[in-house]
């Protein structure tokens, strides 16, 4: 990798990692607004388009493949990738979380979930779909992207509400992000 590519990748990673420590976007004075990164949605849209084009091309150029089994496998692979990328893209475009003074409401497309801070038993981290903070109560689970702008501010507020011991995994993830930013500087 040449110097300019490394420098660009480094700046991009630093910018993406740093978003978590910026002040949260506000819906009102007491409500924080969290969304998926637009860059994530663009990558998913790009993957979706490439997968659908690949699927279309597999129907157009059957003579290039050697056997019928190759054609079937290739079509299933492209169809699976296209569906996965498209589903993730729509989920990330429709996702919206609003953290109010006493609860958090998350909209996943047409489905909405609300958890009161007092009901949260623990905060975990998941690496699925690029990384999420997972808030678990006895009856419900909500996810917030770990790279969302203002997530550090939200975790700090949440730890004041429910205690630092329940948010220890979230603090560990945020500390790892800080270390990565320091290494990139």
């Amino acid at each position: 990798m040449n110097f300019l590519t490394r420098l660009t990748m480094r700046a991009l990673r630093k910018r993406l990692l740093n978003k978590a420590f910026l002040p949260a976007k506000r819906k009102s004075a007491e409500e924080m607004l969290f969304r998926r990164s637009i860059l994530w949605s663009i990558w998913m849209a790009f993957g979706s388009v490439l997968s659908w084009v690949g699927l279309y091309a597999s129907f157009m150029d059957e003579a290039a493949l050697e056997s019928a089994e190759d054609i079937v496998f290739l079509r299933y692979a492209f169809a699976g990738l296209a569906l996965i990328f498209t589903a993730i893209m729509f989920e990330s475009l429709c996702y919206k979380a609003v953290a109010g003074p006493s609860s958090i409401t998350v909209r996943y497309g047409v489905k909405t979930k609300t958890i009161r801070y007092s009901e949260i038993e623990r905060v975990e981290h998941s690496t699925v779909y690029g990384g999420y903070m997972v808030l678990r109560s006895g009856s419900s689970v909500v996810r917030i992207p770990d790279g969302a702008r203002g997530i550090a501010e939200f975790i700090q507020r949440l730890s004041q509400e429910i205690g630092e011991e329940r948010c220890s995994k979230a603090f560990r993830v945020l500390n790892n992000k800080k270390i990565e930013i320091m290494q990139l500087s």
Side-chain angles (χ1 to χ4, degrees):
M1 210 181 312
N2 66 22
F3 175 74
L4 189 58
T5 306
R6 279 189 307 205
L7 190 62
T8 304
M9 292 302 292
R10 188 179 212 172
L12 186 61
R13 284 188 64 196
K14 185 176 179 182
R15 178 173 159 78
L16 288 174
L17 290 171
N18 199 28
K19 277 189 163 218
F21 300 100
L22 296 174
K25 290 185 179 181
R26 303 282 181 182
K27 190 173 181 182
S28 68
E30 292 192 8
E31 292 184 329
M32 296 181 202
L33 181 66
F34 303 105
R35 291 191 171 271
R36 205 35 144 146
S37 167
I38 192 68
L39 187 60
W40 176 262
S41 298
I42 290 170
W43 278 111
M44 293 303 109
F46 184 68
S48 177
V49 168
L50 283 180
S51 300
W52 286 111
V53 167
L55 182 61
Y56 177 75
S58 73
F59 281 100
M60 294 287 106
D61 195 19
E62 290 182 16
L65 298 171
E66 296 181 14
S67 70
E69 295 160 357
D70 289 343
I71 294 171
V72 171
F73 175 77
L74 188 67
R75 286 180 184 160
Y76 278 126
F78 276 125
L81 285 173
L83 291 174
I84 289 169
F85 276 119
T86 304
I88 295 171
M89 178 189 66
F90 283 128
E91 187 272 338
S92 67
L93 289 173
C94 296
Y95 179 89
K96 180 180 169 184
V98 179
S102 62
S103 66
I104 182 161
T105 302
V106 180
R107 184 187 76 206
Y108 305 100
V110 296
K111 184 172 58 170
T112 302
K113 290 184 179 180
T114 300
I115 293 183
R116 301 187 71 66
Y117 297 146
S118 59
E119 297 172 353
I120 296 174
E121 296 172 354
R122 64 187 181 277
V123 180
E124 299 172 344
H125 184 258
S126 171
T127 56
V128 176
Y129 297 132
Y132 280 100
M133 297 294 181
V134 181
L135 311 176
R136 293 189 182 275
S137 73
S139 61
S140 190
V141 175
V142 296
R143 300 173 289 132
I144 304 172
D146 67 358
R149 182 181 173 149
I151 194 71
E153 181 182 354
F154 172 70
I155 295 297
Q156 189 64 37
R157 177 202 265 183
L158 190 61
S159 73
Q160 292 170 356
E161 294 283 333
I162 67 171
E164 283 191 31
E165 65 280 349
R166 292 186 195 172
C167 298
S168 62
K169 288 182 183 176
F171 281 124
R172 220 173 298 130
V173 169
L174 292 173
N175 282 336
N176 289 342
K177 282 184 181 278
K178 278 185 184 178
I179 291 169
E180 265 188 85
I181 291 170
M182 299 290 252
Q183 289 173 348
L184 291 172
S185 298

